[in-house]
């Protein structure tokens, strides 16, 4: 005799779903200037602190150096371990590696705790941008590992640039030998005008983004990343705008690091 058995472990959803009605009007980011009142070449306010993770871990698991970085709504933490024994016992130069991760609640495009291909790609970008500044020849057979966690994101290119700045601060806190600290900024192209340090809403309405990581004291460019098509003249203009912004960010970083020593 058949009986109705109710599955109490599963919550059955409705047979049909209705999209909620949004009463919010679409926002035009550059209709009457920027939404937050900044100038087109102005970077969001920066706050940083080194050694923020040292006291939260046990003596054995404590990182060699750490940093917390805010830029507007962007919030990032970084822990650096090393130099410690590397995976290659005969390496003549040290190895620098990055592990980049979004928290599941940090942004609209991140929906799972499982590491995505996007995070792996950004990890590689960070390695290539920061590694030229580290004196890896002083650490043979050793490795330096940086673990970056994005607590909140507001603009994809701006978040990558902020992560580079956060890693630089954490490396200084760890006492890693550097040629120079790396400062990074991003620009986005709106029509014919470059906009500095765009938020996510601003970035969604632009046609191209440009990121530059630079070592200002050494006057060397560590990394350039561009998404979208531009003319050569536009790229040169955006690059120069990034260089100028990097100098300002670098001055803020140096002012804090010198005061924290």
């Amino acid at each position: 005799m058949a009986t109705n058995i109710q599955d109490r472990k599963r919550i059955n959803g409705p047979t049909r779903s209705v999209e909620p009605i949004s009463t919010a009007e679409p926002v035009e980011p550059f209709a009457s200037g920027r939404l937050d009142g900044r100038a087109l070449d102005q970077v969001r306010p920066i706050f940083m602190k080194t050694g923020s993770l040292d006291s939260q871990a046990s003596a054995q698991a404590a990182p060699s150096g750490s940093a917390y970085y805010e830029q507007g709504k962007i919030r990032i933490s970084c822990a650096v371990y090393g130099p410690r024994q590397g995976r290659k016992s005969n390496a003549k130069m040290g190895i620098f590696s990055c592990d980049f991760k979004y928290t599941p609640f940090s942004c609209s495009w991140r929906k799972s705790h499982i590491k995505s291909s996007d995070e792996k790609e950004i990890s590689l970008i960070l390695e290539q941008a920061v590694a030229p500044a580290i004196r890896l020849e002083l650490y043979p057979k050793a490795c330096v590992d940086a673990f970056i966690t994005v607590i909140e994101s507001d603009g994809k290119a701006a978040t990558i640039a902020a992560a580079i700045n956060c890693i630089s601060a954490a490396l200084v806190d760890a006492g890693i030998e550097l040629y120079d600290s790396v400062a990074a900024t991003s620009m986005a192209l709106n029509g014919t005008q470059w906009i500095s340090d765009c938020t996510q809403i601003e970035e969604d309405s632009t046609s191209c983004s440009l990121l530059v990581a630079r070592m200002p004291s050494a006057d060397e460019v560590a990394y350039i990343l561009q998404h979208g098509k531009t003319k050569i003249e536009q790229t040169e203009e955006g690059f120069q705008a990034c260089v100028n912004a990097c100098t300002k960010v670098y001055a803020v970083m140096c002012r804090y690091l010198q005061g924290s020593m």
Side-chain angles (χ1 to χ4, degrees):
M1 181 175 178
T3 59
N4 283 332
I5 301 176
Q6 185 177 3
D7 187 357
R8 299 181 182 276
K9 296 182 180 179
R10 181 177 301 173
I11 299 175
N12 297 319
T15 55
R16 135 181 126 79
S17 61
V18 179
E19 185 177 352
I21 300 174
S22 176
T23 58
E25 297 181 358
V27 179
E28 293 293 336
F30 307 108
S32 57
R34 306 187 72 170
L35 297 176
D36 52 8
R38 284 184 291 145
L40 297 181
D41 61 345
Q42 187 176 357
V43 179
R44 283 171 281 185
I46 295 173
F47 170 81
M48 57 190 301
K49 182 179 180 181
T50 54
S52 54
L53 302 179
D54 298 350
S55 60
Q56 301 178 13
S58 61
Q60 294 180 346
S64 305
S66 61
Y68 173 76
Y69 187 93
E70 285 187 8
Q71 189 166 320
K73 291 184 179 180
I74 298 174
R75 292 170 174 83
I76 297 176
S77 66
C78 175
V80 171
Y81 294 84
R84 53 188 181 182
Q85 185 175 354
R87 291 170 286 277
K88 295 182 179 180
S89 59
N90 58 347
K92 295 183 180 180
M93 292 185 64
I95 298 173
F96 175 68
S97 65
C98 287
D99 185 86
F100 179 90
K101 185 174 180 59
Y102 288 110
T103 54
F105 49 83
S106 61
C107 52
S108 58
W109 65 82
R110 175 66 177 150
K111 299 180 183 297
S112 173
H113 65 281
I114 302 174
K115 195 175 184 67
S116 65
S117 58
D118 187 36
E119 291 171 323
K120 295 178 182 178
E121 181 182 355
I122 295 175
S123 298
L124 183 60
I125 290 172
L126 298 178
E127 289 177 11
Q128 295 174 347
V130 179
I134 305 175
R135 301 188 63 184
L136 294 174
E137 70 277 3
L138 299 180
Y139 305 108
K141 305 179 183 180
C143 66
V144 178
D145 301 317
F147 296 86
I148 307 97
T149 303
V150 177
I151 303 168
E152 186 174 359
S153 173
D154 190 19
K156 195 167 186 179
T159 299
I160 297 175
I164 294 173
N165 299 333
C166 188
I167 295 171
S168 295
L171 288 171
V172 172
D173 185 56
I176 303 298
E177 291 282 346
L178 304 174
Y179 292 107
D180 191 11
S181 293
V182 182
T185 54
S186 63
M187 293 276 173
L189 186 64
N190 179 44
T192 59
Q193 206 159 25
W194 287 98
I195 314 296
S196 176
D197 188 25
C198 287
T199 63
Q200 189 61 52
I201 295 176
E202 292 174 337
E203 192 176 283
D204 290 340
S205 64
T206 56
S207 58
C208 175
S209 66
L210 176 66
L211 182 147
V212 173
R214 185 169 175 264
M215 295 183 281
S217 293
D219 194 19
E220 291 187 7
V221 175
Y223 195 82
I224 299 177
L225 177 66
Q226 178 174 331
H227 287 289
K229 296 181 179 180
T230 58
K231 297 179 181 179
I232 296 177
E233 297 79 10
Q234 289 177 321
T235 302
E236 291 176 349
E237 182 184 350
F239 173 78
Q240 189 58 48
C242 277
V243 168
N244 295 336
C246 282
T247 304
K248 297 177 183 178
V249 173
Y250 182 78
V252 174
M253 293 172 60
C254 289
R255 194 178 306 120
Y256 170 79
L257 293 173
Q258 289 172 356
S260 63
M261 294 301 178

